[in-house]
Amino acid sequence: MVNSAVLLRVEHTLSIVPKGSVISYGLLADLCGLPGRARMMGKCLQEIKADCNWHRVLRSDGKIAFPYNSDRGNEQRERLLSEGVVVENNRVNMKTFAWSPDLHTILVELKY
């Protein structure tokens, strides 16, 4: 079980990621003030009850973390496609679609 304060930080950070963009588990952890805890982000996403834009979180290589053709993997792929994110071979081009927050977002909007 993950601390509720951590869950709130993860949920808040994901709410800032814009439509049509994706983020890696590692960068999500960094922006939540938890560097090196990418695996913890997966646990957090399992525990958050609300729809928290979980579909925008991918592995660092841009690959969908769910098994190919699984229900959750298909749902993630469809949700990304509906936002204009190109998914080919269960992978997203991170150079094109990865979100990189600007300085204002880092200093003002993110909560550590």
Side-chain angles (χ1 to χ4, degrees):
M1 191 159 149
V2 180
N3 181 318
S4 62
V6 171
L7 293 177
L8 288 173
R9 268 191 278 168
V10 171
E11 194 171 356
H12 174 74
T13 302
L14 279 176
S15 74
I16 297 171
V17 178
K19 267 186 173 180
S21 296
V22 296
I23 188 170
S24 70
Y25 288 96
L27 181 57
L28 178 60
D30 290 348
L31 295 176
C32 289
L34 300 163
R37 296 205 170 74
R39 290 182 186 210
M40 180 187 222
M41 297 301 101
K43 291 180 189 276
C44 289
L45 294 177
Q46 290 174 353
E47 290 189 29
I48 294 173
K49 304 291 186 229
D51 184 12
C52 63
N53 298 323
W54 62 269
H55 63 284
R56 296 182 185 148
V57 185
L58 302 171
R59 292 178 13 179
S60 62
D61 61 0
K63 200 168 183 198
I64 291 175
F66 298 104
Y68 184 75
N69 237 0
S70 66
D71 289 342
R72 294 293 270 178
N74 289 337
E75 180 183 355
Q76 185 173 21
R77 186 173 28 267
E78 290 304 315
R79 290 179 77 172
L80 289 171
L81 288 170
S82 74
E83 293 184 357
V85 176
V86 177
V87 181
E88 292 179 350
N89 297 324
N90 227 32
R91 186 182 304 257
V92 171
N93 184 333
M94 294 299 274
K95 290 181 181 175
T96 304
F97 294 101
W99 178 61
S100 183
D102 60 16
L103 187 59
H104 177 268
T105 301
I106 291 170
L107 295 175
V108 177
E109 295 182 40
L110 293 174
K111 303 190 189 302
Y112 297 102

